[in-house]
Amino acid sequence: MATDTNKFQAIISHCKEYGFIFQSSEIYDGLSAVYDYGQWGSELKKNIRDYWWKSMTQMHENIVGIDAAIFMHPTTWKASGHVDNFSDPMIDNKDSNKRYRVDHLIEAHADLLEKEGKKAEADALLASMDALLAKDDLAGLKTLIEDSKIKCTVSGTANWTDVRQFNLMFSTQLGSVSDEASEIYLRPETAQGIFVNFLNVQKTGRMKIPFGIAQIGKAFRNEIVARQFVFRMREFEQMEMQFFVRPGTEDQWYEYWKAERLKWHLSLGIPAERYRYHDHVKLAHYAKAACDIEYEFPIGFKEVEGIHSRGDFDLSQHQLYSKKKLQYFDNEINQNYVPYVIETSIGLDRTILLVLSEAYTEEDLSTPEKQDSRVVLKFPPKLAPIKLAVLPLLKKDGLPEIARQIMDTCKPHFYCFYEEKDAIGKRYRRMDAIGTPFCITVDHQTKEDNTVTIRYRDSMQQERIPINKILEIVQKQIN
RNA sequence: GCGGAAAUAGCUCAUUUGGUAGAGCGAUAGCUUCCCAAGCUAUAGGUGGCGGGUUCGAGCCCCGUUUUCCGCUCCA
C-alpha cells in the first residue's frame, strides 16, 4: 500500500496554517479526535455539503431531504441494534491483544471448573460475577478475574488490562432531573432519523417507490481509537441517503447506486485510479450486501463511502418496537410490504480530507536564475472557499477604487476576496495556498480600456478580459 | 487498548554534555514597486504542552498527565 506520511503531515500543517482545520479547544491542550473547521475549512465544507445535497435532491425527482434531530427516542437504538451490540464490559489481554467480553471470559472459566468437578467453585464464581455486573463494578470484575487466575486462551497469560465498559454511543440526560428513564443518546448514525420518518415523508410527500430520503448531519461515536486527523473523529458529519425499493429489486438498485455514487466522486474531476470498490465479505447484522468506495489517501486506500443493501431490517425492527405499521402499498402489484433499503452513506469530513489530499500540490517553479516553489490547493472551482480575488496592482492612482467596484459587482454572486497589501506575486501565492481559482488584477490599462487580467491558479497563465465579462467567466467555471 | 516516536513563535526548525531562548519563512504597519514568494524600515508573537520531582540552577535529567503521528488491534 503506497503511503506518504510526509504529505499527510504537510496537509495537516497546511490546514492549520491557512485556516482550514484546527484542533478543538487547542488552548486547553485540545480534545482527542475532535476538530474545528476554520474560516476557509468551513466554506469548503459547506460547498461539498451543498454539492452533495443538490446532486442528491434537486437532481433526483424521487429523492427528498430531511433534517432530523440528533436526539432520538431511546428505543430507536434498541430497535436498530446499537444498544445491545455495544454495552458489554470488555477486557483485553496485553500479550495477545485479544479482547474478551468479561461475562464470556468468566463463564468459560466456570465451565472449565465444572468439568474439573469443582461445581461449587464454579457456581460461586458466577454468583460473584452477577453481583459485580449488577453493580457495574468494573474494578471488582478485574479483581475477580485475577483472583480466579483466568488466563487468555491465546497467550496463556493473565496479563490483563482494566475492565472497561465499551459503548460507542455518547449518553446524556434529557430533562433536568437525572434518572434512568431520561437517559438518551447522541445519535451514532443519521440513518435512523430517516427510518423513523419513513411514513411521514412517504405520505406527506406522496412518494412512490422507488424513492429516497437524504439527510446531512452530525453523528457521534465514542471510538476507542480515533486517529488520523479528521479521518476518524468522535463527532463527525454524515451525508446519507436511504433508497426504498420493492423487495426483489434490491440487487439492481444496489448496483445502480454503487455506480452512481462513484460517478459523483469522479464528477469532482478526481482520477478514477484513485478509487476502488471494496466489497464486504463479512456482513454486519443488518446487511444483505455491502461495499465501500475507497480513495487513495496519502495514508493509503481508505473508506470514504459505504453502499449497503439493508433489506427490510431497519423498518421491520422499528415496526416491531413501535408497533406501528411501516409499510407501503404498491399499486402496481397490489401488495403491501415493508420496503427494502439501499443506503449510501458518505463521511463529509472524510470527503473534505479527500478533496484536500487531491488538491494539495507542492510545485517547484525554479529557473536557472532563481529558486522558487509554491504550495497550491487545486480545488475544483465549485468547491473552492474563495472563488475570486480582486487585486489592484498598486494601492494608488485610483486602482483600488476600480477594484472595489468589481468587488461590489461580484460579491453577491460568489465568495470574493479583496487584497491590496504586498507585491502582486505574493498575493497570487497567498491565494494559491487557500485554493482561490481566479485572481483579477486591476492595472493602469484598466483605466483606459476597462480591461483587467485574470490569472488562473493551476496554470498561472493570465489573459486580458473586459471587466463586464468577469461575472460570466467565473460563474461558468464554478457551476 | 498494546508498542514506538514526538511536543520550543502562526509554520519549519535550532539552542553540542543542565547556566534565565534564536533563525528562516510567515504576520502587522509604513516606504518603494506597472503582473508571480522583490527590496528597505519598524513592530508584534514563546512563564519551552501541562503538573510535579531532582538541583544553587531544568527547554535539556526523572515521574505523571494531555495531545499528535507511526505500527498492531478495533472499526454496525
Side-chain angles (χ1 to χ4, degrees):
Chain A
M1 188 180 290
T3 60
D4 189 342
T5 307
N6 290 339
K7 184 178 175 191
F8 194 58
Q9 300 289 0
I11 290 169
I12 294 170
S13 295
H14 193 85
C15 281
K16 190 194 170 187
E17 193 172 356
Y18 289 93
F20 283 87
I21 300 173
F22 309 120
Q23 182 156 28
S24 164
S25 321
E26 198 188 0
I27 62 169
Y28 293 109
D29 284 340
L31 191 60
S32 180
V34 185
Y35 291 90
D36 298 338
Y37 288 92
Q39 63 274 36
W40 306 134
S42 58
E43 286 292 328
L44 174 64
K45 185 176 183 183
K46 176 183 72 67
N47 291 341
I48 294 173
R49 187 195 285 126
D50 289 349
Y51 181 58
W52 184 89
W53 188 254
K54 187 175 170 185
S55 69
M56 275 300 186
T57 61
Q58 193 173 328
M59 300 305 290
H60 290 91
E61 292 172 30
N62 59 343
I63 300 178
V64 292
I66 64 165
D67 184 15
I70 287 170
F71 294 145
M72 298 186 72
H73 193 283
T75 308
T76 306
W77 307 112
K78 289 205 171 76
S80 70
H82 286 81
V83 171
D84 288 340
N85 287 340
F86 290 95
S87 57
D88 301 302
M90 309 283 276
I91 192 166
D92 291 6
N93 183 276
K94 290 183 189 174
D95 298 313
S96 63
N97 284 327
K98 184 140 172 62
R99 180 167 295 162
Y100 296 90
R101 269 178 64 168
V102 166
D103 54 339
H104 289 176
L105 186 68
I106 296 177
E107 280 163 10
H109 188 68
D111 283 349
L112 205 70
L113 289 174
E114 211 170 316
K115 276 180 198 152
E116 293 170 2
K118 301 173 186 165
K119 174 126 178 50
E121 214 175 300
D123 288 347
L125 179 64
L126 291 176
S128 313
M129 178 185 81
D130 288 342
L132 292 167
L133 279 175
K135 284 190 293 182
D136 279 333
D137 184 350
L138 302 182
L141 284 165
K142 187 184 181 188
T143 309
L144 184 67
I145 288 170
E146 285 174 339
D147 290 350
S148 310
K149 300 199 164 45
I150 297 176
K151 288 176 183 149
C152 169
T153 53
V154 177
S155 66
T157 65
N159 187 11
W160 299 106
T161 62
D162 287 340
V163 174
R164 288 154 304 168
Q165 189 81 39
F166 280 76
N167 195 330
L168 216 53
M169 288 193 290
F170 289 95
S171 63
T172 186
Q173 267 81 38
L174 188 67
S176 48
V177 182
S178 57
D179 59 33
E180 187 83 19
S182 65
E183 185 182 42
I184 57 168
Y185 299 104
L186 302 185
R187 64 183 176 197
E189 65 175 26
T190 54
Q192 300 305 324
I194 293 176
F195 294 128
V196 300
N197 279 299
F198 165 72
L199 267 194
N200 284 339
V201 173
Q202 189 272 317
K203 287 189 167 166
T204 60
R206 296 160 45 236
M207 308 303 290
K208 289 178 187 51
I209 271 180
F211 73 94
I213 303 177
Q215 171 166 229
I216 299 176
K218 287 279 180 83
F220 305 83
R221 291 183 193 177
N222 205 353
E223 301 278 359
I224 313 302
V225 179
R227 264 198 313 223
Q228 290 170 318
F229 198 42
V230 295
F231 187 80
R232 179 166 290 133
M233 299 198 289
R234 296 212 158 88
E235 173 181 342
F236 60 102
E237 198 157 336
Q238 292 184 306
M239 304 191 288
E240 293 199 319
M241 193 277 296
Q242 310 291 335
F243 199 70
F244 300 93
V245 305
R246 182 189 298 165
T249 64
E250 67 271 18
D251 291 344
Q252 85 192 53
W253 284 112
Y254 174 69
E255 293 303 328
Y256 171 83
W257 281 109
K258 225 173 125 170
E260 191 70 9
R261 289 307 305 152
L262 185 59
K263 268 192 234 163
W264 181 86
H265 285 267
L266 299 180
S267 75
L268 295 172
I270 297 167
E273 61 264 28
R274 285 258 199 274
Y275 286 100
R276 71 181 186 198
Y277 289 116
H278 172 74
D279 292 308
H280 290 202
V281 182
K282 217 176 87 183
L283 295 173
H285 61 272
Y286 58 73
K288 293 181 115 58
C291 86
D292 298 335
I293 293 177
E294 297 186 333
Y295 168 80
E296 189 175 18
F297 289 95
I299 49 176
F301 273 102
K302 300 271 183 185
E303 176 189 355
V304 176
E305 173 156 12
I307 293 109
H308 300 232
S309 179
R310 298 177 75 125
D312 63 355
F313 177 83
D314 300 278
L315 289 178
S316 293
Q317 283 291 104
H318 286 304
Q319 193 166 253
L320 191 67
Y321 278 79
S322 68
K323 302 185 180 65
K324 305 280 193 310
K325 247 188 174 182
L326 298 179
Q327 299 187 357
Y328 174 83
F329 182 75
D330 193 327
N331 280 305
E332 281 182 36
I333 55 174
N334 221 24
Q335 260 183 37
N336 243 322
Y337 56 77
V338 177
Y340 276 25
V341 170
I342 308 299
E343 167 188 84
T344 74
S345 173
I346 177 168
L348 177 51
D349 308 278
R350 288 180 181 187
T351 308
I352 289 166
L353 189 58
L354 181 161
V355 169
L356 280 165
S357 301
E358 193 61 35
Y360 182 88
T361 314
E362 293 174 6
E363 286 181 352
D364 185 0
L365 304 173
S366 296
T367 57
E369 296 81 43
K370 182 178 160 201
Q371 283 233 318
D372 195 9
S373 66
R374 68 168 183 163
V375 172
V376 49
L377 297 181
K378 298 187 173 180
F379 293 133
K382 62 189 160 209
L383 299 183
I386 299 171
K387 309 300 186 196
L388 179 72
V390 182
L391 316 168
L393 187 61
L394 300 173
K395 54 183 165 188
K396 61 179 184 185
D397 303 337
L399 302 185
E401 287 73 12
I402 299 172
R404 281 290 178 194
Q405 280 172 16
I406 296 172
M407 275 297 284
D408 290 342
T409 307
C410 295
K411 243 183 340 197
H413 302 280
F414 40 77
Y415 204 120
C416 302
F417 189 86
Y418 177 84
E419 170 94 279
E420 59 183 38
K421 170 74 183 165
D422 289 321
I424 191 68
K426 192 173 230 172
R427 282 180 272 167
Y428 286 152
R429 298 301 171 84
R430 265 201 289 257
M431 286 299 110
D432 288 342
I434 55 177
T436 305
F438 311 106
C439 292
I440 291 291
T441 303
V442 176
D443 58 20
H444 287 87
Q445 192 185 329
T446 308
K447 293 200 288 189
E448 290 158 24
D449 62 6
N450 278 320
T451 62
V452 292
T453 54
I454 182 166
R455 180 260 192 188
Y456 298 99
R457 175 195 65 200
D458 296 351
S459 65
M460 298 173 75
Q461 297 296 309
Q462 322 187 19
E463 56 182 313
R464 194 116 206 136
I465 59 167
I467 288 178
N468 59 19
K469 289 274 184 202
I470 297 173
L471 256 185
E472 185 190 324
I473 289 173
V474 175
Q475 270 178 326
K476 197 176 158 198
Q477 299 274 349
I478 62 177
N479 286 328

